[in-house]
mmCIF file of all heavy atoms in Angstrom:
data_model
loop_
_atom_site.group_PDB
_atom_site.id
_atom_site.type_symbol
_atom_site.label_atom_id
_atom_site.label_comp_id
_atom_site.label_asym_id
_atom_site.label_seq_id
_atom_site.Cartn_x
_atom_site.Cartn_y
_atom_site.Cartn_z
ATOM 1 N N LEU A 1 37.924 -72.112 -9.125
ATOM 2 C CA LEU A 1 39.159 -71.891 -8.379
ATOM 3 C C LEU A 1 40.355 -72.368 -9.199
ATOM 4 O O LEU A 1 40.269 -73.382 -9.902
ATOM 5 C CB LEU A 1 39.123 -72.648 -7.051
ATOM 6 C CG LEU A 1 38.172 -72.116 -5.985
ATOM 7 C CD1 LEU A 1 38.147 -73.060 -4.787
ATOM 8 C CD2 LEU A 1 38.593 -70.715 -5.550
ATOM 9 N N LYS A 2 41.452 -71.679 -9.067
ATOM 10 C CA LYS A 2 42.666 -72.074 -9.784
ATOM 11 C C LYS A 2 43.219 -73.402 -9.281
ATOM 12 O O LYS A 2 44.039 -74.023 -9.945
ATOM 13 C CB LYS A 2 43.727 -70.978 -9.671
ATOM 14 C CG LYS A 2 43.381 -69.743 -10.471
ATOM 15 C CD LYS A 2 44.501 -68.722 -10.413
ATOM 16 C CE LYS A 2 44.168 -67.522 -11.270
ATOM 17 N NZ LYS A 2 45.261 -66.551 -11.322
ATOM 18 N N SER A 3 42.751 -73.849 -8.119
ATOM 19 C CA SER A 3 43.181 -75.130 -7.575
ATOM 20 C C SER A 3 42.296 -76.291 -8.039
ATOM 21 O O SER A 3 42.540 -77.436 -7.682
ATOM 22 C CB SER A 3 43.172 -75.067 -6.046
ATOM 23 O OG SER A 3 41.861 -74.782 -5.572
ATOM 24 N N HIS A 4 41.292 -76.030 -8.855
ATOM 25 C CA HIS A 4 40.372 -77.061 -9.332
ATOM 26 C C HIS A 4 41.123 -78.092 -10.175
ATOM 27 O O HIS A 4 42.039 -77.744 -10.926
ATOM 28 C CB HIS A 4 39.241 -76.405 -10.147
ATOM 29 C CG HIS A 4 38.102 -77.323 -10.435
ATOM 30 N ND1 HIS A 4 38.145 -78.256 -11.429
ATOM 31 C CD2 HIS A 4 36.884 -77.436 -9.835
ATOM 32 C CE1 HIS A 4 37.009 -78.918 -11.448
ATOM 33 N NE2 HIS A 4 36.219 -78.435 -10.486
ATOM 34 N N VAL A 5 40.720 -79.349 -10.076
ATOM 35 C CA VAL A 5 41.391 -80.417 -10.817
ATOM 36 C C VAL A 5 41.334 -80.169 -12.328
ATOM 37 O O VAL A 5 42.236 -80.549 -13.063
ATOM 38 C CB VAL A 5 40.824 -81.811 -10.437
ATOM 39 C CG1 VAL A 5 39.399 -81.980 -10.909
ATOM 40 C CG2 VAL A 5 41.711 -82.919 -10.966
ATOM 41 N N ARG A 6 40.305 -79.490 -12.809
ATOM 42 C CA ARG A 6 40.229 -79.191 -14.245
ATOM 43 C C ARG A 6 41.382 -78.271 -14.662
ATOM 44 O O ARG A 6 42.018 -78.475 -15.685
ATOM 45 C CB ARG A 6 38.875 -78.555 -14.594
ATOM 46 C CG ARG A 6 38.714 -78.295 -16.088
ATOM 47 C CD ARG A 6 37.289 -78.014 -16.455
ATOM 48 N NE ARG A 6 36.393 -79.126 -16.256
ATOM 49 C CZ ARG A 6 36.233 -80.142 -17.115
ATOM 50 N NH1 ARG A 6 36.907 -80.178 -18.240
ATOM 51 N NH2 ARG A 6 35.374 -81.114 -16.856
ATOM 52 N N LEU A 7 41.671 -77.268 -13.843
ATOM 53 C CA LEU A 7 42.796 -76.389 -14.155
ATOM 54 C C LEU A 7 44.126 -77.127 -14.028
ATOM 55 O O LEU A 7 45.051 -76.896 -14.801
ATOM 56 C CB LEU A 7 42.790 -75.143 -13.267
ATOM 57 C CG LEU A 7 42.062 -73.978 -13.910
ATOM 58 C CD1 LEU A 7 40.588 -74.141 -13.859
ATOM 59 C CD2 LEU A 7 42.532 -72.694 -13.355
ATOM 60 N N GLU A 8 44.185 -77.989 -13.030
ATOM 61 C CA GLU A 8 45.395 -78.801 -12.863
ATOM 62 C C GLU A 8 45.619 -79.664 -14.108
ATOM 63 O O GLU A 8 46.751 -79.857 -14.535
ATOM 64 C CB GLU A 8 45.256 -79.681 -11.613
ATOM 65 C CG GLU A 8 46.515 -80.390 -11.220
ATOM 66 C CD GLU A 8 47.626 -79.480 -10.724
ATOM 67 O OE1 GLU A 8 47.330 -78.385 -10.204
ATOM 68 O OE2 GLU A 8 48.802 -79.852 -10.885
ATOM 69 N N SER A 9 44.538 -80.150 -14.708
ATOM 70 C CA SER A 9 44.666 -81.013 -15.893
ATOM 71 C C SER A 9 45.280 -80.264 -17.069
ATOM 72 O O SER A 9 46.259 -80.716 -17.662
ATOM 73 C CB SER A 9 43.312 -81.626 -16.276
ATOM 74 O OG SER A 9 42.433 -80.667 -16.830
ATOM 75 N N TYR A 10 44.740 -79.105 -17.392
ATOM 76 C CA TYR A 10 45.313 -78.422 -18.560
ATOM 77 C C TYR A 10 46.542 -77.594 -18.207
ATOM 78 O O TYR A 10 47.382 -77.317 -19.067
ATOM 79 C CB TYR A 10 44.272 -77.665 -19.399
ATOM 80 C CG TYR A 10 43.567 -76.492 -18.793
ATOM 81 C CD1 TYR A 10 44.138 -75.235 -18.781
ATOM 82 C CD2 TYR A 10 42.266 -76.624 -18.309
ATOM 83 C CE1 TYR A 10 43.451 -74.137 -18.272
ATOM 84 C CE2 TYR A 10 41.575 -75.533 -17.805
ATOM 85 C CZ TYR A 10 42.177 -74.297 -17.782
ATOM 86 O OH TYR A 10 41.503 -73.213 -17.287
ATOM 87 N N GLY A 11 46.706 -77.242 -16.936
ATOM 88 C CA GLY A 11 47.949 -76.598 -16.511
ATOM 89 C C GLY A 11 49.129 -77.552 -16.620
ATOM 90 O O GLY A 11 50.239 -77.166 -16.999
ATOM 91 N N THR A 12 48.888 -78.817 -16.306
ATOM 92 C CA THR A 12 49.948 -79.819 -16.425
ATOM 93 C C THR A 12 50.265 -80.090 -17.895
ATOM 94 O O THR A 12 51.424 -80.325 -18.250
ATOM 95 C CB THR A 12 49.555 -81.099 -15.672
ATOM 96 O OG1 THR A 12 49.239 -80.752 -14.322
ATOM 97 C CG2 THR A 12 50.691 -82.108 -15.659
ATOM 98 N N LEU A 13 49.257 -80.029 -18.754
ATOM 99 C CA LEU A 13 49.525 -80.140 -20.195
ATOM 100 C C LEU A 13 50.415 -78.996 -20.666
ATOM 101 O O LEU A 13 51.308 -79.183 -21.501
ATOM 102 C CB LEU A 13 48.225 -80.133 -20.999
ATOM 103 C CG LEU A 13 47.347 -81.365 -20.939
ATOM 104 C CD1 LEU A 13 46.127 -81.176 -21.842
ATOM 105 C CD2 LEU A 13 48.102 -82.611 -21.319
ATOM 106 N N ASP A 14 50.180 -77.807 -20.126
ATOM 107 C CA ASP A 14 51.005 -76.647 -20.465
ATOM 108 C C ASP A 14 52.451 -76.863 -20.003
ATOM 109 O O ASP A 14 53.394 -76.557 -20.729
ATOM 110 C CB ASP A 14 50.411 -75.392 -19.845
ATOM 111 C CG ASP A 14 51.065 -74.117 -20.338
ATOM 112 O OD1 ASP A 14 51.477 -74.057 -21.514
ATOM 113 O OD2 ASP A 14 51.163 -73.166 -19.534
ATOM 114 N N GLU A 15 52.609 -77.403 -18.808
ATOM 115 C CA GLU A 15 53.949 -77.720 -18.301
ATOM 116 C C GLU A 15 54.634 -78.753 -19.205
ATOM 117 O O GLU A 15 55.819 -78.619 -19.541
ATOM 118 C CB GLU A 15 53.831 -78.258 -16.872
ATOM 119 C CG GLU A 15 55.144 -78.597 -16.219
ATOM 120 C CD GLU A 15 54.958 -79.199 -14.829
ATOM 121 O OE1 GLU A 15 53.827 -79.207 -14.279
ATOM 122 O OE2 GLU A 15 55.970 -79.674 -14.282
ATOM 123 N N LEU A 16 53.894 -79.768 -19.607
ATOM 124 C CA LEU A 16 54.420 -80.778 -20.516
ATOM 125 C C LEU A 16 54.832 -80.152 -21.843
ATOM 126 O O LEU A 16 55.922 -80.400 -22.361
ATOM 127 C CB LEU A 16 53.364 -81.865 -20.736
ATOM 128 C CG LEU A 16 53.644 -82.896 -21.818
ATOM 129 C CD1 LEU A 16 54.940 -83.648 -21.559
ATOM 130 C CD2 LEU A 16 52.455 -83.854 -21.931
ATOM 131 N N ASN A 17 53.960 -79.306 -22.382
ATOM 132 C CA ASN A 17 54.233 -78.651 -23.658
ATOM 133 C C ASN A 17 55.489 -77.786 -23.570
ATOM 134 O O ASN A 17 56.327 -77.775 -24.481
ATOM 135 C CB ASN A 17 53.019 -77.813 -24.065
ATOM 136 C CG ASN A 17 52.904 -77.640 -25.557
ATOM 137 O OD1 ASN A 17 53.858 -77.801 -26.286
ATOM 138 N ND2 ASN A 17 51.716 -77.285 -26.000
ATOM 139 N N SER A 18 55.650 -77.085 -22.469
ATOM 140 C CA SER A 18 56.839 -76.237 -22.283
ATOM 141 C C SER A 18 58.108 -77.074 -22.183
ATOM 142 O O SER A 18 59.162 -76.679 -22.694
ATOM 143 C CB SER A 18 56.680 -75.380 -21.021
ATOM 144 O OG SER A 18 55.601 -74.505 -21.171
ATOM 145 N N THR A 19 58.011 -78.216 -21.546
ATOM 146 C CA THR A 19 59.177 -79.091 -21.425
ATOM 147 C C THR A 19 59.559 -79.660 -22.787
ATOM 148 O O THR A 19 60.748 -79.761 -23.111
ATOM 149 C CB THR A 19 58.895 -80.213 -20.403
ATOM 150 O OG1 THR A 19 58.500 -79.614 -19.166
ATOM 151 C CG2 THR A 19 60.119 -81.067 -20.170
ATOM 152 N N ILE A 20 58.567 -80.012 -23.586
ATOM 153 C CA ILE A 20 58.855 -80.459 -24.957
ATOM 154 C C ILE A 20 59.490 -79.314 -25.748
ATOM 155 O O ILE A 20 60.428 -79.524 -26.514
ATOM 156 C CB ILE A 20 57.584 -80.998 -25.640
ATOM 157 C CG1 ILE A 20 57.153 -82.300 -24.958
ATOM 158 C CG2 ILE A 20 57.808 -81.204 -27.137
ATOM 159 C CD1 ILE A 20 55.782 -82.812 -25.383
ATOM 160 N N GLY A 21 59.011 -78.092 -25.534
ATOM 161 C CA GLY A 21 59.623 -76.923 -26.177
ATOM 162 C C GLY A 21 61.089 -76.772 -25.789
ATOM 163 O O GLY A 21 61.933 -76.436 -26.631
ATOM 164 N N LEU A 22 61.405 -77.013 -24.522
ATOM 165 C CA LEU A 22 62.796 -76.971 -24.078
ATOM 166 C C LEU A 22 63.613 -78.036 -24.806
ATOM 167 O O LEU A 22 64.721 -77.755 -25.295
ATOM 168 C CB LEU A 22 62.879 -77.181 -22.561
ATOM 169 C CG LEU A 22 64.284 -77.354 -21.972
ATOM 170 C CD1 LEU A 22 65.144 -76.121 -22.226
ATOM 171 C CD2 LEU A 22 64.196 -77.664 -20.485
ATOM 172 N N ALA A 23 63.077 -79.239 -24.914
ATOM 173 C CA ALA A 23 63.792 -80.307 -25.619
ATOM 174 C C ALA A 23 64.028 -79.942 -27.083
ATOM 175 O O ALA A 23 65.124 -80.171 -27.616
ATOM 176 C CB ALA A 23 63.008 -81.617 -25.505
ATOM 177 N N ILE A 24 63.035 -79.353 -27.714
ATOM 178 C CA ILE A 24 63.186 -78.920 -29.113
ATOM 179 C C ILE A 24 64.305 -77.892 -29.224
ATOM 180 O O ILE A 24 65.115 -77.925 -30.148
ATOM 181 C CB ILE A 24 61.853 -78.375 -29.668
ATOM 182 C CG1 ILE A 24 60.833 -79.500 -29.812
ATOM 183 C CG2 ILE A 24 62.069 -77.659 -31.003
ATOM 184 C CD1 ILE A 24 59.409 -79.025 -30.092
ATOM 185 N N SER A 25 64.367 -76.948 -28.277
ATOM 186 C CA SER A 25 65.417 -75.934 -28.331
ATOM 187 C C SER A 25 66.798 -76.553 -28.121
ATOM 188 O O SER A 25 67.777 -76.113 -28.724
ATOM 189 C CB SER A 25 65.159 -74.816 -27.307
ATOM 190 O OG SER A 25 65.384 -75.273 -25.996
ATOM 191 N N LEU A 26 66.872 -77.586 -27.292
ATOM 192 C CA LEU A 26 68.152 -78.279 -27.106
ATOM 193 C C LEU A 26 68.566 -79.000 -28.386
ATOM 194 O O LEU A 26 69.743 -79.013 -28.744
ATOM 195 C CB LEU A 26 68.061 -79.271 -25.942
ATOM 196 C CG LEU A 26 67.920 -78.666 -24.548
ATOM 197 C CD1 LEU A 26 67.623 -79.746 -23.515
ATOM 198 C CD2 LEU A 26 69.165 -77.873 -24.169
ATOM 199 N N ILE A 27 67.594 -79.577 -29.072
ATOM 200 C CA ILE A 27 67.891 -80.233 -30.357
ATOM 201 C C ILE A 27 68.395 -79.217 -31.365
ATOM 202 O O ILE A 27 69.371 -79.455 -32.078
ATOM 203 C CB ILE A 27 66.634 -80.955 -30.898
ATOM 204 C CG1 ILE A 27 66.331 -82.201 -30.065
ATOM 205 C CG2 ILE A 27 66.795 -81.312 -32.376
ATOM 206 C CD1 ILE A 27 64.992 -82.856 -30.383
ATOM 207 N N SER A 28 67.757 -78.048 -31.420
ATOM 208 C CA SER A 28 68.103 -77.060 -32.454
ATOM 209 C C SER A 28 69.506 -76.487 -32.294
ATOM 210 O O SER A 28 70.058 -75.930 -33.238
ATOM 211 C CB SER A 28 67.063 -75.935 -32.484
ATOM 212 O OG SER A 28 67.166 -75.142 -31.331
ATOM 213 N N SER A 29 70.090 -76.635 -31.103
ATOM 214 C CA SER A 29 71.453 -76.124 -30.915
ATOM 215 C C SER A 29 72.474 -77.250 -30.753
ATOM 216 O O SER A 29 73.608 -77.002 -30.381
ATOM 217 C CB SER A 29 71.493 -75.199 -29.685
ATOM 218 O OG SER A 29 71.129 -75.919 -28.521
ATOM 219 N N HIS A 30 72.079 -78.477 -31.067
ATOM 220 C CA HIS A 30 72.953 -79.635 -30.881
ATOM 221 C C HIS A 30 73.740 -79.930 -32.152
ATOM 222 O O HIS A 30 73.267 -79.680 -33.257
ATOM 223 C CB HIS A 30 72.114 -80.855 -30.484
ATOM 224 C CG HIS A 30 72.907 -81.957 -29.905
ATOM 225 N ND1 HIS A 30 73.554 -82.887 -30.670
ATOM 226 C CD2 HIS A 30 73.184 -82.272 -28.614
ATOM 227 C CE1 HIS A 30 74.188 -83.738 -29.892
ATOM 228 N NE2 HIS A 30 73.978 -83.383 -28.634
ATOM 229 N N ASP A 31 74.935 -80.500 -32.004
ATOM 230 C CA ASP A 31 75.736 -80.817 -33.185
ATOM 231 C C ASP A 31 75.138 -81.967 -34.004
ATOM 232 O O ASP A 31 75.478 -82.146 -35.161
ATOM 233 C CB ASP A 31 77.197 -81.096 -32.821
ATOM 234 C CG ASP A 31 77.388 -82.285 -31.905
ATOM 235 O OD1 ASP A 31 76.427 -82.684 -31.220
ATOM 236 O OD2 ASP A 31 78.510 -82.829 -31.870
ATOM 237 N N LYS A 32 74.223 -82.730 -33.451
ATOM 238 C CA LYS A 32 73.511 -83.793 -34.177
ATOM 239 C C LYS A 32 72.120 -83.317 -34.611
ATOM 240 O O LYS A 32 71.212 -84.108 -34.847
ATOM 241 C CB LYS A 32 73.362 -85.038 -33.296
ATOM 242 C CG LYS A 32 74.649 -85.644 -32.823
ATOM 243 C CD LYS A 32 75.238 -86.513 -33.878
ATOM 244 C CE LYS A 32 76.467 -87.239 -33.311
ATOM 245 N NZ LYS A 32 77.038 -88.125 -34.274
ATOM 246 N N LYS A 33 71.969 -82.005 -34.711
ATOM 247 C CA LYS A 33 70.680 -81.377 -35.012
ATOM 248 C C LYS A 33 70.002 -81.986 -36.241
ATOM 249 O O LYS A 33 68.821 -82.330 -36.187
ATOM 250 C CB LYS A 33 70.897 -79.877 -35.221
ATOM 251 C CG LYS A 33 69.686 -79.134 -35.742
ATOM 252 C CD LYS A 33 70.009 -77.690 -36.056
ATOM 253 C CE LYS A 33 68.812 -77.017 -36.686
ATOM 254 N NZ LYS A 33 69.036 -75.612 -36.948
ATOM 255 N N GLU A 34 70.742 -82.139 -37.322
ATOM 256 C CA GLU A 34 70.119 -82.606 -38.564
ATOM 257 C C GLU A 34 69.523 -83.995 -38.417
ATOM 258 O O GLU A 34 68.400 -84.246 -38.851
ATOM 259 C CB GLU A 34 71.130 -82.566 -39.714
ATOM 260 C CG GLU A 34 71.431 -81.158 -40.175
ATOM 261 C CD GLU A 34 72.396 -81.117 -41.340
ATOM 262 O OE1 GLU A 34 72.496 -82.104 -42.088
ATOM 263 O OE2 GLU A 34 73.056 -80.077 -41.503
ATOM 264 N N GLU A 35 70.265 -84.912 -37.803
ATOM 265 C CA GLU A 35 69.755 -86.274 -37.650
ATOM 266 C C GLU A 35 68.570 -86.314 -36.685
ATOM 267 O O GLU A 35 67.573 -86.986 -36.937
ATOM 268 C CB GLU A 35 70.860 -87.205 -37.153
ATOM 269 C CG GLU A 35 70.430 -88.653 -37.128
ATOM 270 C CD GLU A 35 71.569 -89.599 -36.803
ATOM 271 O OE1 GLU A 35 72.715 -89.149 -36.619
ATOM 272 O OE2 GLU A 35 71.284 -90.802 -36.717
ATOM 273 N N LEU A 36 68.677 -85.579 -35.588
ATOM 274 C CA LEU A 36 67.582 -85.552 -34.619
ATOM 275 C C LEU A 36 66.334 -84.918 -35.225
ATOM 276 O O LEU A 36 65.223 -85.446 -35.085
ATOM 277 C CB LEU A 36 68.011 -84.808 -33.352
ATOM 278 C CG LEU A 36 69.063 -85.519 -32.496
ATOM 279 C CD1 LEU A 36 69.633 -84.564 -31.451
ATOM 280 C CD2 LEU A 36 68.480 -86.759 -31.840
ATOM 281 N N GLU A 37 66.495 -83.800 -35.907
ATOM 282 C CA GLU A 37 65.339 -83.126 -36.515
ATOM 283 C C GLU A 37 64.705 -83.960 -37.613
ATOM 284 O O GLU A 37 63.486 -83.937 -37.792
ATOM 285 C CB GLU A 37 65.739 -81.751 -37.047
ATOM 286 C CG GLU A 37 65.887 -80.714 -35.954
ATOM 287 C CD GLU A 37 66.126 -79.305 -36.482
ATOM 288 O OE1 GLU A 37 66.459 -79.145 -37.680
ATOM 289 O OE2 GLU A 37 65.984 -78.363 -35.681
ATOM 290 N N LYS A 38 65.527 -84.709 -38.342
ATOM 291 C CA LYS A 38 65.018 -85.561 -39.415
ATOM 292 C C LYS A 38 63.923 -86.502 -38.892
ATOM 293 O O LYS A 38 62.911 -86.716 -39.541
ATOM 294 C CB LYS A 38 66.168 -86.368 -40.022
ATOM 295 C CG LYS A 38 65.760 -87.399 -41.034
ATOM 296 C CD LYS A 38 66.974 -88.201 -41.498
ATOM 297 C CE LYS A 38 66.548 -89.380 -42.345
ATOM 298 N NZ LYS A 38 67.686 -90.239 -42.692
ATOM 299 N N TYR A 39 64.134 -87.038 -37.721
ATOM 300 C CA TYR A 39 63.194 -88.000 -37.156
ATOM 301 C C TYR A 39 62.160 -87.391 -36.209
ATOM 302 O O TYR A 39 61.102 -87.966 -36.009
ATOM 303 C CB TYR A 39 63.953 -89.101 -36.397
ATOM 304 C CG TYR A 39 64.705 -90.027 -37.308
ATOM 305 C CD1 TYR A 39 66.049 -89.834 -37.575
ATOM 306 C CD2 TYR A 39 64.058 -91.105 -37.917
ATOM 307 C CE1 TYR A 39 66.747 -90.686 -38.415
ATOM 308 C CE2 TYR A 39 64.742 -91.958 -38.764
ATOM 309 C CZ TYR A 39 66.085 -91.749 -39.014
ATOM 310 O OH TYR A 39 66.765 -92.590 -39.859
ATOM 311 N N LEU A 40 62.487 -86.249 -35.609
ATOM 312 C CA LEU A 40 61.671 -85.772 -34.494
ATOM 313 C C LEU A 40 60.944 -84.453 -34.703
ATOM 314 O O LEU A 40 59.902 -84.221 -34.073
ATOM 315 C CB LEU A 40 62.554 -85.640 -33.238
ATOM 316 C CG LEU A 40 63.279 -86.901 -32.784
ATOM 317 C CD1 LEU A 40 64.157 -86.592 -31.585
ATOM 318 C CD2 LEU A 40 62.297 -88.020 -32.494
ATOM 319 N N LYS A 41 61.473 -83.569 -35.532
ATOM 320 C CA LYS A 41 60.942 -82.203 -35.601
ATOM 321 C C LYS A 41 59.437 -82.164 -35.876
ATOM 322 O O LYS A 41 58.682 -81.529 -35.136
ATOM 323 C CB LYS A 41 61.698 -81.408 -36.659
ATOM 324 C CG LYS A 41 61.296 -79.955 -36.733
ATOM 325 C CD LYS A 41 62.122 -79.211 -37.758
ATOM 326 C CE LYS A 41 61.735 -77.752 -37.814
ATOM 327 N NZ LYS A 41 62.514 -77.026 -38.820
ATOM 328 N N ASP A 42 58.996 -82.834 -36.923
ATOM 329 C CA ASP A 42 57.582 -82.761 -37.303
ATOM 330 C C ASP A 42 56.671 -83.314 -36.213
ATOM 331 O O ASP A 42 55.677 -82.688 -35.851
ATOM 332 C CB ASP A 42 57.333 -83.501 -38.620
ATOM 333 C CG ASP A 42 57.953 -82.787 -39.812
ATOM 334 O OD1 ASP A 42 58.289 -81.593 -39.691
ATOM 335 O OD2 ASP A 42 58.115 -83.438 -40.870
ATOM 336 N N ILE A 43 57.013 -84.480 -35.686
ATOM 337 C CA ILE A 43 56.142 -85.105 -34.683
ATOM 338 C C ILE A 43 56.081 -84.269 -33.412
ATOM 339 O O ILE A 43 55.035 -84.152 -32.785
ATOM 340 C CB ILE A 43 56.552 -86.570 -34.387
ATOM 341 C CG1 ILE A 43 55.515 -87.278 -33.497
ATOM 342 C CG2 ILE A 43 57.907 -86.648 -33.709
ATOM 343 C CD1 ILE A 43 54.354 -87.827 -34.206
ATOM 344 N N LEU A 44 57.202 -83.652 -33.026
ATOM 345 C CA LEU A 44 57.212 -82.863 -31.793
ATOM 346 C C LEU A 44 56.354 -81.612 -31.918
ATOM 347 O O LEU A 44 55.617 -81.259 -30.985
ATOM 348 C CB LEU A 44 58.642 -82.505 -31.397
ATOM 349 C CG LEU A 44 59.507 -83.697 -30.979
ATOM 350 C CD1 LEU A 44 60.939 -83.253 -30.726
ATOM 351 C CD2 LEU A 44 58.935 -84.412 -29.769
ATOM 352 N N PHE A 45 56.408 -80.946 -33.063
ATOM 353 C CA PHE A 45 55.553 -79.777 -33.256
ATOM 354 C C PHE A 45 54.075 -80.185 -33.343
ATOM 355 O O PHE A 45 53.198 -79.473 -32.857
ATOM 356 C CB PHE A 45 55.973 -78.968 -34.471
ATOM 357 C CG PHE A 45 57.230 -78.162 -34.250
ATOM 358 C CD1 PHE A 45 58.303 -78.270 -35.112
ATOM 359 C CD2 PHE A 45 57.338 -77.298 -33.169
ATOM 360 C CE1 PHE A 45 59.469 -77.538 -34.897
ATOM 361 C CE2 PHE A 45 58.491 -76.562 -32.948
ATOM 362 C CZ PHE A 45 59.555 -76.682 -33.818
ATOM 363 N N GLU A 46 53.799 -81.341 -33.944
ATOM 364 C CA GLU A 46 52.422 -81.843 -33.977
ATOM 365 C C GLU A 46 51.921 -82.089 -32.553
ATOM 366 O O GLU A 46 50.777 -81.740 -32.221
ATOM 367 C CB GLU A 46 52.351 -83.142 -34.782
ATOM 368 C CG GLU A 46 52.523 -82.948 -36.265
ATOM 369 C CD GLU A 46 52.679 -84.267 -37.017
ATOM 370 O OE1 GLU A 46 52.269 -85.328 -36.488
ATOM 371 O OE2 GLU A 46 53.221 -84.236 -38.132
ATOM 372 N N ILE A 47 52.759 -82.694 -31.733
ATOM 373 C CA ILE A 47 52.375 -82.977 -30.347
ATOM 374 C C ILE A 47 52.121 -81.687 -29.591
ATOM 375 O O ILE A 47 51.140 -81.584 -28.841
ATOM 376 C CB ILE A 47 53.452 -83.836 -29.660
ATOM 377 C CG1 ILE A 47 53.406 -85.258 -30.216
ATOM 378 C CG2 ILE A 47 53.291 -83.826 -28.142
ATOM 379 C CD1 ILE A 47 54.619 -86.091 -29.884
ATOM 380 N N GLN A 48 52.975 -80.687 -29.794
ATOM 381 C CA GLN A 48 52.750 -79.411 -29.103
ATOM 382 C C GLN A 48 51.389 -78.829 -29.486
ATOM 383 O O GLN A 48 50.667 -78.327 -28.624
ATOM 384 C CB GLN A 48 53.876 -78.430 -29.413
ATOM 385 C CG GLN A 48 55.153 -78.746 -28.660
ATOM 386 C CD GLN A 48 56.126 -77.590 -28.713
ATOM 387 O OE1 GLN A 48 56.582 -77.198 -29.784
ATOM 388 N NE2 GLN A 48 56.422 -77.031 -27.554
#
């Protein structure tokens, strides 16, 4: 069932991953993009 806790577990990971993707997109259009990406870009893509 789509309501099974197993689906909830990886569905929530997908929600988390999408939210991190949103944060990455906000960084990429920010005026402090270079400094933020310097420290965060690699680790965030690894986490995704």
